[in-house]
Amino acid sequence: MLILGIETSCDETGVALYDSDHGLLSHALFSQVEMHADYGGVVPELASRDHVRKLLPLCDQVLAEAGRTRADIDGIAYTAGPGLVGALMVGGSVAHALGFALGIPVLGVHHMEGHLLAPMLEENPPAFPFVALLVSGGHTQLVMVSGIGEYQLLGESVDDAAGEAFDKTAKMLGLDYPGGPRVSALAQAGRPGTYRFPRPMTDRPGLDFSFSGLKTYTLNTVTDAEERGALDEQVRADIALAFETAVVDTLVIKCRRALEQTGCKRLVVAGGVSANRSLRQALEAMAVKLRGGVFYARPEFCTDNGAMIAYAGCQRLLAGQRDGDRIVAVPRWPMDTLPPLGEPRDN
Ligand code: ATP
Ligand code: MG
Ligand code: FE
């Protein structure tokens, strides 16, 4: 079954072709980061309009790269949420229009399920069940995953997401969006132990996270250094390292707890922050101690992309799930309300 995957939930237009027998055939991504840079954040209306401009050309591009035509497509998967409603509507409209014209099934996919399943596109995919750490720009969650659509939320951030904290820290340090990779690069030059930042909510039981206090702590540290006239390149690097280490430590502590609590040996890490090298290394070291394994996607499939949507959609389309005539666009959508593979969807 050849599936066209479409991702337009935020500021990235992602398209991919996934074949259930032959795997990923092609994928393409256009990032709007530069367009939004002048505004200091994503401008929803500009995002929607740019998806309109880029989506069909990218579809043609992935078909050409795979040596296929529209007539070869057996189904279309698009991101139906969570995300910016206007941006989601662009992907949903194109998916439904193409699906109607070609007479093939169409399915709205959950963006975080896409992230969660992205490691399945790699050579050594994790088997079910596993614990998943979803760490992205909008989410920080620990989920017990027994199968596709069988999700039990173990814990989540009560305020900011980890990626959001990286982005805000970047801003404080004068770095551009997306902040994660830039903070991480700056941290390379940091001197370990110069600062020690708090590990929020690790001193009490439970699997929830909180990153807004850490953000304030970072701001206070930056402001203090500034007032002392000490905020040079070295101190900025020291702060970046202290921040990154605190986030990584916190995530690792909670992941270890989740593995111990569930008795699970496999940990999947997905979402933009899972591209972070320090996080990967620290999780691997932890998993070795527990005699477990850590799984993640290649860096380009950690952040938003069409391949993860094509893959997730393919699994559900193969199981017979599909949209009705209505375009589905759900800005807020808890992942644990998704049905398992064998059950029909109500949208
Ligand atoms: P969501 O998926 O929750 O809707 P999103 O789609 O905006 O949010 P992603 O595209 O998954 O998020 O990831 C983007 C986030 O990942 C940004 O916050 C970015 O700073 C962060 N990120 C990307 N690479 C790294 C990295 N190497 N280290 C830390 N953070 C990173
Ligand atoms: Mg993004
Ligand atoms: Fe995302």
Side-chain angles (χ1 to χ4, degrees):
M1 194 177 201
L2 183 66
I3 303 300
L4 175 71
I6 295 175
E7 155 64 37
T8 64
S9 68
C10 190
D11 59 347
E12 243 107 37
T13 318
V15 180
L17 275 179
Y18 180 83
D19 185 297
S20 52
D21 293 328
H22 302 105
L24 188 66
L25 301 186
S26 55
H27 62 98
L29 185 86
F30 181 82
S31 171
Q32 306 174 354
V33 160
E34 272 176 36
M35 188 180 75
H36 299 289
D38 293 346
Y39 304 92
V42 177
V43 184
E45 182 59 25
L46 292 183
S48 310
R49 290 179 192 205
D50 206 56
H51 287 307
V52 170
R53 274 190 290 270
K54 300 291 169 11
L55 193 45
L56 280 171
L58 284 179
C59 291
D60 291 338
Q61 184 184 325
V62 294
L63 283 167
E65 276 170 20
R68 305 295 176 96
T69 68
R70 285 185 188 177
D72 296 324
I73 306 172
D74 299 307
I76 303 177
Y78 65 96
T79 301
L84 302 170
V85 73
L88 294 169
M89 281 303 292
V90 176
S93 307
V94 168
H96 271 267
L98 276 177
F100 182 69
L102 299 169
I104 55 176
V106 177
L107 181 69
V109 170
H110 195 289
H111 180 78
M112 296 313 295
E113 179 170 78
H115 276 305
L116 170 73
L117 298 177
M120 299 291 186
L121 290 162
E122 302 305 331
E123 243 170 47
N124 173 28
F128 298 110
F130 53 75
V131 168
L133 172 70
L134 298 177
V135 262
S136 55
H139 294 79
T140 304
Q141 298 184 326
L142 274 164
V143 184
M144 180 68 219
V145 180
S146 310
I148 292 177
E150 297 171 55
Y151 308 132
Q152 185 201 344
L153 186 65
L154 301 172
E156 65 181 331
S157 177
V158 297
D159 41 56
D160 293 358
E164 193 180 350
F166 265 102
D167 296 332
K168 287 176 177 166
T169 293
K171 226 175 203 172
M172 294 173 208
L173 293 171
L175 303 170
D176 290 337
Y177 180 87
R182 294 186 164 94
V183 169
S184 192
L186 181 60
Q188 297 270 310
R191 296 166 298 186
T194 312
Y195 293 99
R196 186 182 158 85
F197 284 19
R199 275 66 171 152
M201 293 179 77
T202 52
D203 55 354
R204 56 183 114 154
L207 296 171
D208 283 339
F209 304 89
S210 164
F211 290 107
S212 90
L214 184 57
K215 180 185 67 188
T216 310
Y217 194 94
T218 307
L219 181 62
N220 290 341
T221 309
V222 171
T223 312
D224 180 63
E226 223 164 20
E227 282 170 3
R228 287 187 290 111
L231 194 62
D232 59 13
E233 199 54 24
Q234 182 60 59
V235 169
R236 288 168 68 244
D238 294 341
I239 293 173
L241 178 63
F243 167 82
E244 181 179 52
T245 309
V247 173
V248 167
D249 263 12
T250 304
L251 293 173
V252 171
I253 289 168
K254 298 284 165 134
C255 285
R256 188 200 307 133
R257 228 178 250 180
L259 290 174
E260 286 167 352
Q261 188 177 308
T262 57
C264 226
K265 292 284 180 201
R266 284 179 293 272
L267 177 71
V268 164
V269 202
V273 183
S274 69
N276 186 280
R277 289 234 315 270
S278 305
L279 177 63
R280 290 177 172 214
Q281 284 166 5
L283 287 172
E284 269 172 9
M286 180 271 290
V288 165
K289 281 189 204 148
L290 294 184
R291 297 173 190 278
V294 185
F295 300 82
Y296 29 61
R298 71 195 82 164
E300 64 179 322
F301 292 163
C302 289
T303 44
D304 294 348
N305 64 86
M308 67 184 194
I309 301 304
Y311 178 84
C314 184
Q315 309 315 309
R316 289 188 175 275
L317 283 159
L318 278 173
Q321 295 183 7
R322 54 212 55 203
D323 280 3
D325 292 338
R326 207 162 51 93
I327 297 165
V328 185
V330 198
R332 289 172 170 275
W333 188 6
M335 198 174 69
D336 53 9
T337 60
L338 287 174
L341 272 193
E343 280 175 27
R345 297 170 61 121
D346 57 12
N347 53 32

